[in-house]
C-alpha cells in the first residue's frame, strides 16, 4: 500500500471567535478541536503527520506533543502558503497526502479512510472531499462537466446564477499525490484580491496539466462543519454529543435524556448503566455494568464500580468500588478510594482518603487525608482536622470503629479497631482498640441563670 501522510492546518488565530484562546484549541466536549482532528486522522494508520502552526504555536505543540511533527507558518498568507511550510518534511516522498483543517472536529476516521481509498482507487492526482449542503450559501461550489467529472471549484462570490444553484460544496479537505502537490504549489500565485496563496488553485493547476481530479461525496454534511465562531462551536458540541450518546445507547447504555447528557469521547460505559439527565462524564472515566449516574452528577477521570449509584454529586480523579451509594450532594475530591458497599451521604466531602468496604459516612461530614477501614460508621458532622496551617496529617480509623456525631479528629491520630468515639468529642490522642473515648467538657447546669439575664435586660 502507498505511504500516507497528513497535513493539519492549525496556524490561524480565529479572530471571529473573539477569544484569547487560539481557535483550534477551543474544546468540543472537553477536547481541543485540533486534537479531535489528529485523533481521527491518525486512526487511518498514517506514516507521518505534520501540523502547520502559527498563532499559539507553542500551545498547539504542547497539546499534540509527540503525536505530530510541526511546521511554522510565521505569516498567514493563505492555505496554499500554509501547506508549503511542510515542504521540507514531505516534499520528495512518494504517496498520498491528506490536507485537513484543524477546525473541523466532526470528520470521522471512516470518512478520512473512504477519502483515501477513493483517491487511490481512482488513481487521481487530487481528490476533493465534498458534501451536499441543504443551504450552500458561502461555500465554494463543485462544478462538474457533462461526464460528471470535477471541472473546477467556484467560490460563492464568483459564481453565476446557475452555479449558485449547485449544492455540492467544497469542504476544505483534500487528498493529493504528495509530489504533485508540492510541484503544483510552486506555481500558485497570490495575484488575487486578498494577496494570498490559495490551496484551491492547485486543483486548477492540475486540471490544466490534464491530471485527474476527482471528488468524494461524504454522505453526512454535518461532519464537515468548520468552526469559525462561537455559534459554530456550539453546533459542533451538539453534533458531537449526539454522536457519542447514540453510540453508547447502541452499546447497551440507557441515557434518559440524551439532549441533556454530556459524555466526553474518552469515557467508557459498560452495558446496563443508566445515565440520568444533567450528568457530565469527563476525561478517562469508566462506569461499570449496572451502575446508575445522576441526575445532575459530574464525574471526571473516575472509575465507578458495578451497581454503584451516584446522585446529584461531583467526583474527580477517584476510584469508587462496587455497590457504593453516593449522594445526594456529595463531593468526592481527587485521590479518594471508596471501597465496595460503602455509603457516602448528603453533604459529605471526601478528599485524598480511603474508605473501606461497607463503611458509612452518611451526613454532613468532611473526611480528608484519612485511612478509614472497613465497616466503620462515621456519624453526622464528623471532621478529620487534617491541616495545621502549614502541613497536612493523616487520620487513621481502623475496622469496625464507631465515630459519634459532631466529632473532631485532630490529625495525626489513630482510632483503634472496634473503638467508639462519643458524640461531640474532640480527639487529639490515639484511641486504643475496643475502647470508648470521650473528650468533651463536663456539663454544668446553672438553674435560674437565664431568667436573671432576662430580668437584667428589662432593667
Amino acid at each position: 500500500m502507498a505511504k500516507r501522510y497528513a497535513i493539519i492546518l492549525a496556524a490561524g488565530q480565529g479572530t471571529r471567535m473573539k477569544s484569547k484562546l487560539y481557535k483550534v484549541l477551543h474544546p468540543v466536549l472537553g477536547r481541543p478541536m485540533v486534537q479531535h482532528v489528529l485523533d481521527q486522522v491518525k486512526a487511518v494508520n498514517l506514516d507521518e503527520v505534520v501540523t502547520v502552526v502559527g498563532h499559539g504555536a507553542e500551545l498547539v505543540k504542547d497539546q499534540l506533543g509527540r503525536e505530530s511533527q510541526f511546521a511554522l507558518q510565521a505569516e498567514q498568507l493563505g492555505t496554499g502558503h500554509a501547506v508549503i511550510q511542510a515542504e521540507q518534511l514531505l516534499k520528495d516522498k512518494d504517496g498520498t497526502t491528506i490536507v485537513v483543517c484543524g477546525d473541523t472536529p466532526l470528520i470521522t476516521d471512516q470518512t478520512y479512510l473512504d477519502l483515501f481509498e477513493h483517491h487511490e482507487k481512482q488513481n487521481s492526482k487530487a481528490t476533493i472531499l465534498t458534501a451536499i449542503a441543504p443551504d450552500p450559501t458561502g461555500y465554494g461550489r463543485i462544478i462538474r462537466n457533462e461526464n460528471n467529472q470535477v471541472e473546477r471549484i467556484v467560490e460563492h462570490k464568483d459564481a453565476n446564477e446557475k452555479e449558485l444553484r449547485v449544492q455540492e460544496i467544497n469542504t476544505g479537505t483534500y487528498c493529493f499525490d504528495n509530489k504533485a502537490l508540492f510541484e503544483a504549489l510552486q506555481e500558485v500565485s497570490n495575484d488575487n484580491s486578498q494577496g494570498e496563496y490559495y490551496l484551491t488553485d492547485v486543483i486548477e493547476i492540475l486540471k490544466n496539466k490534464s491530471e485527474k481530479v476527482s471528488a468524494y461525496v461524504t454522505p453526512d454534511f454535518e461532519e464537515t462543519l468548520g468552526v469559525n465562531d462561537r455559534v459554530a462551536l456550539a453546533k459542533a458540541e451538539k453534533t458531537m454529543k449526539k454522536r457519542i450518546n447514540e453510540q453508547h445507547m447502541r452499546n447497551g447504555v440507557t441515557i434518559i435524556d440524551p439532549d441533556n447528557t454530556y459524555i466526553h469521547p474518552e469515557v467508557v460505559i459498560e452495558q446496563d448503566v443508566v445515565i440520568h439527565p444533567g450528568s457530565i462524564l469527563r476525561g478517562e472515566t469508566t462506569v461499570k455494568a449496572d451502575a446508575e449516574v445522576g441526575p445532575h452528577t459530574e464525574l471526571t477521570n473516575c472509575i465507578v464500580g458495578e451497581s454503584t449509584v451516584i446522585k446529584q454529586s461531583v467526583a474527580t480523579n477517584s476510584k469508587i468500588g462496587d455497590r457504593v451509594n453516593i449522594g445526594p450532594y456529595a463531593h468526592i475530591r481527587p485521590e479518594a478510594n471508596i471501597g465496595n458497599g460503602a455509603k457516602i451521604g448528603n453533604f459529605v466531602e471526601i478528599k485524598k482518603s480511603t474508605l473501606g468496604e461497607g463503611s458509612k459516612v452518611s451526613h454532613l461530614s468532611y473526611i480528608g487525608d484519612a485511612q478509614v477501614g472497613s465497616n466503620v460508621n462515621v456519624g453526622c458532622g464528623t471532621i478529620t482536622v487534617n491541616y495545621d496551617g502549614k502541613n497536612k496529617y493523616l487520620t487513621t480509623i481502623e475496622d469496625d470503629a464507631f465515630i459519634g456525631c459532631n466529632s473532631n479528629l485532630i490529625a495525626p491520630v489513630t482510632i483503634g479497631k472496634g473503638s467508639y468515639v462519643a458524640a461531640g468529642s474532640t480527639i487529639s490522642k490515639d484511641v486504643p482498640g475496643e475502647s470508648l473515648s470521650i473528650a468533651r467538657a463536663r456539663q454544668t447546669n446553672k438553674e435560674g441563670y437565664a431568667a436573671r439575664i432576662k430580668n437584667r435586660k428589662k432593667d
Side-chain angles (χ1 to χ4, degrees):
M1 187 176 74
K3 296 268 190 179
R4 290 178 175 177
Y5 315 101
I7 299 174
I8 300 174
L9 305 183
Q13 184 173 13
T15 55
R16 281 182 282 175
M17 297 295 288
K18 293 181 169 46
S19 174
K20 297 183 292 294
L21 184 64
Y22 300 106
K23 179 171 72 168
V24 298
L25 294 177
H26 276 266
V28 174
L29 277 183
R31 182 184 292 178
M33 289 192 284
V34 69
Q35 187 69 59
H36 280 290
V37 173
L38 179 62
D39 290 345
Q40 294 301 314
V41 80
K42 283 194 74 173
V44 184
N45 296 321
L46 300 171
D47 293 280
E48 291 185 57
V49 178
V50 179
T51 301
V52 181
V53 294
H55 292 288
E58 293 307 314
L59 293 175
V60 176
K61 288 180 180 180
D62 288 345
Q63 173 61 43
L64 302 184
R66 296 181 179 179
E67 296 182 86
S68 175
Q69 299 184 79
F70 298 94
L72 178 65
Q73 186 186 22
E75 293 183 89
Q76 278 64 63
L77 301 177
T79 51
H81 180 258
V83 173
I84 209 167
Q85 306 312 306
E87 184 176 36
Q88 294 302 314
L89 295 170
L90 296 177
K91 177 181 177 181
D92 296 321
K93 297 183 178 182
D94 292 314
T96 302
T97 295
I98 190 170
V99 178
V100 301
C101 297
D103 62 359
T104 54
L106 299 176
I107 301 178
T108 65
D109 58 343
Q110 186 61 53
T111 297
Y112 288 132
L113 180 61
D114 292 342
L115 177 61
F116 267 114
E117 290 180 348
H118 180 88
H119 173 83
E120 291 165 355
K121 184 178 180 180
Q122 294 291 321
N123 198 28
S124 300
K125 291 297 182 182
T127 302
I128 308 161
L129 181 66
T130 70
I132 305 302
D135 178 6
T137 303
Y139 289 96
R141 307 305 204 278
I142 303 299
I143 307 303
R144 295 177 180 263
N145 60 24
E146 61 276 6
N147 296 319
N148 203 37
Q149 296 173 332
V150 175
E151 191 68 33
R152 64 190 187 279
I153 301 171
V154 178
E155 296 303 320
H156 180 89
K157 64 181 182 297
D158 299 322
N160 59 37
E161 187 174 340
K162 180 180 178 182
E163 291 165 341
L164 286 173
R165 290 196 294 270
V166 174
Q167 291 183 283
E168 186 180 6
I169 57 96
N170 174 24
T171 68
T173 297
Y174 312 86
C175 266
F176 295 99
D177 174 272
N178 187 65
K179 287 185 175 179
L181 168 63
F182 287 103
E183 289 171 4
L185 281 169
Q186 302 303 319
E187 301 180 37
V188 172
S189 166
N190 67 341
D191 185 16
N192 53 60
S193 59
Q194 300 297 317
E196 294 186 349
Y197 300 87
Y198 295 129
L199 184 59
T200 49
D201 289 351
V202 170
I203 303 299
E204 184 176 355
I205 290 168
L206 293 173
K207 287 292 292 183
N208 289 340
K209 293 181 177 180
S210 299
E211 300 286 8
K212 186 174 183 179
V213 175
S214 61
Y216 172 72
V217 185
T218 177
D220 187 355
F221 170 69
E222 278 192 331
E223 271 194 27
T224 67
L225 174 71
V227 176
N228 292 310
D229 57 24
R230 306 292 182 120
V231 175
L233 185 66
K235 289 179 180 177
E237 178 99 1
K238 184 176 182 179
T239 300
M240 183 76 75
K241 172 167 65 71
K242 179 181 177 183
R243 178 190 297 172
I244 290 173
N245 288 352
E246 287 182 356
Q247 182 180 1
H248 284 297
M249 288 187 285
R250 290 192 179 98
N251 288 336
V253 176
T254 295
I255 300 178
I256 303 297
D257 184 359
D259 290 339
N260 290 290
T261 301
Y262 297 80
I263 302 173
H264 287 197
E266 304 95 328
V267 172
V268 176
I269 308 176
E270 295 183 359
Q271 289 183 0
D272 294 316
V273 169
V274 177
I275 310 292
H276 291 274
S279 295
I280 304 171
L281 282 66
R282 301 187 180 95
E284 296 181 2
T285 290
T286 297
V287 183
K288 296 188 178 179
D290 302 306
E292 187 172 350
V293 175
H296 305 293
T297 291
E298 296 181 33
L299 303 177
T300 304
N301 299 325
C302 288
I303 297 174
V304 177
E306 291 184 8
S307 302
T308 285
V309 177
I310 306 177
K311 296 180 178 180
Q312 289 110 346
S313 296
V314 176
T316 305
N317 297 334
S318 294
K319 183 177 180 181
I320 300 165
D322 300 338
R323 304 177 308 283
V324 174
N325 198 310
I326 295 177
Y329 313 117
H331 188 185
I332 312 301
R333 291 171 56 191
E335 298 184 59
N337 190 342
I338 312 302
N340 296 338
K343 180 182 178 182
I344 298 169
N346 50 297
F347 302 104
V348 171
E349 182 175 346
I350 309 288
K351 189 273 294 186
K352 200 177 182 181
S353 297
T354 296
L355 192 67
E357 185 170 346
S359 291
K360 298 177 181 178
V361 187
S362 296
H363 332 273
L364 299 159
S365 296
Y366 170 71
I367 305 298
D369 297 282
Q371 185 78 34
V372 180
S374 61
N375 300 311
V376 170
N377 187 87
V378 177
C380 177
T382 295
I383 296 172
T384 59
V385 185
N386 59 329
Y387 185 49
D388 66 0
K390 184 177 180 181
N391 297 305
K392 293 188 177 181
Y393 299 94
L394 179 69
T395 296
T396 301
I397 305 174
E398 295 181 352
D399 297 349
D400 304 313
F402 182 98
I403 311 299
C405 294
N406 291 320
S407 294
N408 297 308
L409 309 180
I410 301 178
V413 71
T414 297
I415 311 300
K417 182 176 181 180
S419 291
Y420 279 65
V421 171
S425 293
T426 296
I427 305 298
S428 57
K429 297 180 180 178
D430 290 350
V431 177
E434 304 297 339
S435 300
L436 169 63
S437 183
I438 305 171
R440 58 194 183 203
R442 184 182 298 276
Q443 181 173 329
T444 301
N445 296 332
K446 295 186 176 182
E447 295 184 11
Y449 189 82
R452 290 199 300 272
I453 292 175
K454 293 174 184 176
N455 290 333
R456 195 179 302 155
K457 288 180 179 178
K458 290 179 182 179
D459 295 339

